[in-house]
Amino acid sequence: MSILLSVQGVTKSFGGLQALSKVTFDLPEGQILGLIGPNGAGKTTLFNVVNGVYPPDEGRVIFRDQDVTDAKTYQHAKMGMARTHQIVQPLNELTVRENVEVGACFGRENQNLRHAAEIAEEVLEFLGLHNRIDQLAGSLNVAQKKRLEMARALAARPYLLLLDEVLAGLNPSEIANMVETVRKICEQGITIIMIEHVMHAVMNVSDRIIVLDYGEQIAEGTPAEIAVNEKVIEAYLGDPKLAQRLMEQDNK
Amino acid sequence: MGILRPAGEYDTSYAADMATIRQPWQWGLLAVFLLALYTLPLYASQSTVSLVNRIGITIIAVQGLNLLTGYTGQISLGQAAFMTTGGYISALLVNNQGWPFLAALPVAALGAGVIGLIFGLPSLRVKGFYLAMATLAAQFIIPWFTRNAFPEVLNGAQGLNVNAPTILGMEFNNPQRYLYLTLSILIITTIVAYNVSRSRLGRAFVAIRDHDLAAELLGVNPFKYKLMAFFLAAVFAGVAGTLSAHNIRHLNSETFNLIDSVMYLGMLVIGGLGSNLGPIFGAVVVEILIELATIFGPFFIELFPSTAAGAVQALRPLFFGTTLMLFLIFEPRGLAHRWQLLKAAWRLRPFSH
């Protein structure tokens, strides 16, 4: 399996705050990588660096064998990197369909508006937003807005999808639905990195997990390895029995 | 095919619901309206025809500003300066170089566009209030340039006398004739503005307006599209400036000034930002208000003989300012939005729910 994304020694600080220090990992094509850690650990900053929103102070980001460290955000999008936001950012004055069309128009395939409309319908059908297609994006509820963000990202036909807390603020049944959706997206051959706090979900769906704490990469491994890692339990999971329970929950 | 649709007949798609021309009879209505405008010189007074000319030209300038401010969300106080640019380019080409008007017009428009592009560069760095200040620079630099640079060509503060345009041997040297020119070009600019707003380009503009970071993450190059918006706005201003200069046949650094730039923004708010009908509503309403202020002026003096003639001058900004304020409070989405509501209410009449 070839390496889709390679993050090499990425360091980023904001003034005196060390947000990321020497984060390094390779992400093979077709995998789901979970990114966990306490609040303020640097997860979203890592997304922003991978995505070109901030340039890193040190280190490189290699995407599909190209160095994209200094590329602009919109260039990342054109190359096939799509993302959703922790705080949803729909284009409020456009309808759901029009929002998703923007993704298709300006994403990897640079579709024209007519073809983008077809893609939008297809993606919205897939994400179950089809009945809201002509509603203004601003009028959706949070769960729907999260799905809209995913739809917009998927309409770009990305190779890599960055999901920033898509489960936050959802109720249990919505979470179950969303996890299922993430799986299906992965089955379509799209590689995914997801930042998540809902542990049973991330343990369940990820192929590998990276744990960040104060910008340090304290652990990396399969969900089973992470759940018993002492450093992770100390920094994030807390109770060792909790970790055990999480793993058991997965197997149900 | 009546004016009202039978009950139970609904739009089956969003596109049909949003279509501008919903039914065949509306095409007919549009044709009658245009015919009425084109035949205006036959039955209306010269001053009315002049007013319609002025409104038409203003609409073009505001259409450009709408693409920039209404659709792309970039505020600009430089629209009048780009009109000056277009006007001067065309005047020089027609007067000094003997170019035909129809050749000078696109060159003037493009020239204004390029200048607009240059003054749009700060938009890459600054937003909102600060961008307004940056574009304000255009409003000082360009008139200063026309007053002070190349006095032998631009004739300093005196300005230029501009020839009436000649097309195919016909000289458009009075308001009645000029109306045909204004209306024809207005139809073209309306179609262009309409199509820009409904295309991929327009979608990029709106994405930047609604959320520039989200737009960039979706692959919209904000620099490119912001500059395109500035370019297009200035091209429209160039066309408006050219038309205006050849209409009033004189041009100097004060012909299009800061007050005009502010008025255009106000018209856009009154008409409706980010709507294709907005510039038309806004320009018509404000120009007519200003006309009313001129008509009411003499009565005002009779009522209050102690006030000087200066008070009449004050009526215009007073009318404009009050209207703008009322709109900001009661209908910030402008007349275009009201019009939509009115049309919907008419369609659903008499059962409004």
Side-chain angles (χ1 to χ4, degrees):
Chain A
M1 220 184 282
S2 63
I3 301 294
L4 183 76
L5 177 78
S6 171
V7 174
Q8 302 170 350
V10 163
T11 298
K12 176 82 192 167
S13 60
F14 298 105
L17 178 75
Q18 192 73 24
L20 293 172
S21 66
K22 297 215 182 309
V23 175
T24 302
F25 64 88
D26 284 338
L27 178 60
E29 230 174 285
Q31 281 203 353
I32 300 182
L33 175 72
L35 195 56
I36 62 173
N39 284 321
K43 304 183 295 294
T44 300
T45 306
L46 181 59
F47 266 20
N48 281 335
V49 170
V50 167
N51 208 211
V53 177
Y54 313 133
D57 301 335
E58 276 173 46
R60 313 303 302 168
V61 178
I62 314 291
F63 180 62
R64 288 168 56 83
D65 299 326
Q66 273 180 294
D67 189 333
V68 296
T69 319
D70 300 316
K72 298 255 192 290
T73 305
Y74 66 86
Q75 290 167 329
H76 283 77
K78 297 258 183 250
M79 290 166 80
M81 219 188 264
R83 120 167 229 197
T84 70
H85 304 88
Q86 185 173 0
I87 297 158
V88 286
Q89 302 182 332
L91 309 171
N92 283 326
E93 289 181 38
L94 291 179
T95 64
V96 168
R97 183 207 307 266
E98 288 166 339
N99 259 275
V100 179
E101 282 170 1
V102 176
C105 273
F106 299 96
R108 187 168 64 78
E109 289 178 342
N110 275 322
Q111 298 288 358
N112 62 34
L113 206 49
R114 193 176 304 247
H115 198 189
E118 290 164 21
I119 295 174
E121 290 198 9
E122 178 194 318
V123 171
L124 287 168
E125 182 90 64
F126 170 70
L127 283 170
L129 271 178
H130 203 254
N131 50 346
R132 306 273 170 194
I133 198 158
D134 290 325
Q135 211 168 311
L136 281 182
S139 69
L140 297 178
N141 68 29
V142 175
Q144 290 160 347
K145 277 182 182 165
K146 297 219 162 185
R147 286 188 171 266
L148 171 60
E149 287 235 329
M150 280 178 89
R152 216 165 53 176
L154 283 178
R157 304 264 193 245
Y159 297 114
L160 174 65
L161 182 59
L162 306 173
L163 299 176
D164 197 343
E165 294 202 24
V166 282
L167 303 181
L170 303 191
N171 67 34
S173 77
E174 287 166 342
I175 289 180
N177 271 330
M178 196 59 120
V179 166
E180 202 44 48
T181 306
V182 170
R183 275 228 183 80
K184 276 193 202 148
I185 293 170
C186 185
E187 278 163 17
Q188 294 176 358
I190 297 171
T191 311
I192 297 173
I193 307 182
M194 60 189 301
I195 293 178
E196 205 48 70
H197 282 301
V198 181
M199 288 309 298
H200 73 85
V202 78
M203 290 285 182
N204 209 340
V205 83
S206 307
D207 293 302
R208 294 181 71 74
I209 290 180
I210 288 177
V211 188
L212 290 179
D213 187 27
Y214 291 109
E216 302 268 356
Q217 195 175 344
I218 59 169
E220 183 182 353
T222 62
E225 288 162 12
I226 294 296
V228 294
N229 185 304
E230 276 176 25
K231 274 189 187 165
V232 178
I233 290 169
E234 187 188 337
Y236 186 51
L237 297 178
D239 180 4
K241 290 198 180 114
L242 171 78
Q244 280 304 320
R245 273 207 305 281
L246 283 170
M247 289 312 294
E248 280 159 18
Q249 219 172 345
D250 293 346
N251 299 330
K252 274 180 201 163
Chain B
M1 193 193 76
I3 288 179
L4 292 172
R5 274 190 295 186
E9 196 179 292
Y10 299 112
D11 290 318
T12 50
S13 75
Y14 181 65
D17 198 30
M18 285 291 111
T20 315
I21 303 285
R22 300 171 59 93
Q23 288 180 44
W25 62 266
Q26 287 174 323
W27 280 111
L29 207 62
L30 183 66
V32 170
F33 177 65
L34 286 177
L35 193 70
L37 278 179
Y38 270 100
T39 51
L40 200 63
L42 299 181
Y43 52 82
S45 69
Q46 175 144 348
S47 67
T48 310
V49 175
S50 294
L51 176 66
V52 174
N53 262 320
R54 204 166 67 234
I55 291 176
I57 293 167
T58 308
I59 291 174
I60 296 174
V62 181
Q63 280 172 334
L65 192 64
N66 188 33
L67 289 176
L68 179 61
T69 306
Y71 282 103
T72 321
Q74 308 298 304
I75 198 163
S76 166
L77 283 174
Q79 196 70 348
F82 306 131
M83 291 174 75
T84 307
T85 313
Y88 266 93
I89 293 174
S90 169
L92 291 176
L93 288 176
V94 171
N95 282 14
N96 299 7
Q97 308 294 322
W99 282 38
F101 175 77
L102 282 185
L105 177 68
V107 174
L110 288 178
V114 171
I115 300 294
L117 199 70
I118 294 169
F119 282 98
L121 286 172
S123 71
L124 311 185
R125 295 269 170 223
V126 295
K127 288 180 193 171
F129 180 69
Y130 301 95
L131 181 61
M133 290 298 111
T135 54
L136 192 56
Q139 202 63 66
F140 288 100
I141 294 170
I142 292 170
W144 179 89
F145 186 87
T146 62
R147 274 196 306 275
N148 296 298
F150 309 111
E152 65 284 0
V153 185
L154 299 180
N155 204 18
Q158 290 282 306
L160 305 171
N161 288 317
V162 188
N163 295 344
T166 309
I167 297 170
L168 298 172
M170 182 175 173
E171 205 182 9
F172 291 83
N173 55 359
N174 60 37
Q176 284 85 349
R177 286 182 178 178
Y178 211 84
L179 185 71
Y180 301 121
L181 192 60
T182 309
L183 287 178
S184 305
I185 291 173
L186 177 60
I187 290 171
I188 296 170
T189 59
T190 306
I191 293 171
V192 170
Y194 190 73
N195 280 314
V196 165
S197 70
R198 285 168 69 105
S199 68
R200 195 170 174 274
L201 180 61
R203 192 59 54 84
F205 286 171
V206 174
I208 289 173
R209 176 192 71 191
D210 276 6
H211 207 300
D212 54 355
L213 182 64
E216 190 175 359
L217 285 161
L218 289 170
V220 178
N221 180 346
F223 310 133
K224 178 173 146 193
Y225 287 103
K226 278 183 189 173
L227 285 185
M228 274 172 95
F230 268 98
F231 176 76
L232 277 175
V235 164
F236 276 68
V239 171
T242 302
L243 273 177
S244 185
H246 289 272
N247 183 31
I248 48 186
R249 312 266 282 279
H250 182 78
L251 184 63
N252 63 34
S253 63
E254 288 298 308
T255 310
F256 313 110
N257 53 42
L258 178 59
I259 301 297
D260 291 312
S261 280
V262 176
M263 293 278 272
Y264 296 149
L265 271 180
M267 289 176 188
L268 201 48
V269 171
I270 290 169
L273 283 154
S275 148
N276 280 307
L277 284 173
I280 299 174
F281 280 132
V284 170
V285 167
V286 174
E287 289 284 1
I288 288 176
L289 269 178
I290 290 174
E291 198 64 22
L292 285 180
T294 316
I295 294 169
F296 280 125
F299 295 111
F300 192 74
I301 292 183
E302 270 177 42
L303 276 175
F304 307 100
S306 59
T307 55
V312 178
Q313 285 295 316
L315 273 184
R316 293 182 186 191
L318 211 64
F319 273 41
F320 175 67
T322 316
T323 314
L324 184 57
M325 226 155 64
L326 291 175
F327 266 92
L328 283 173
I329 295 167
F330 295 109
E331 185 53 280
R333 296 170 73 179
L335 281 168
H337 182 234
R338 274 287 128 176
W339 176 245
Q340 288 288 345
L341 295 181
L342 197 71
K343 276 204 302 189
W346 169 255
R347 268 205 318 274
L348 301 174
R349 184 186 70 98
F351 305 110
S352 58
H353 293 290

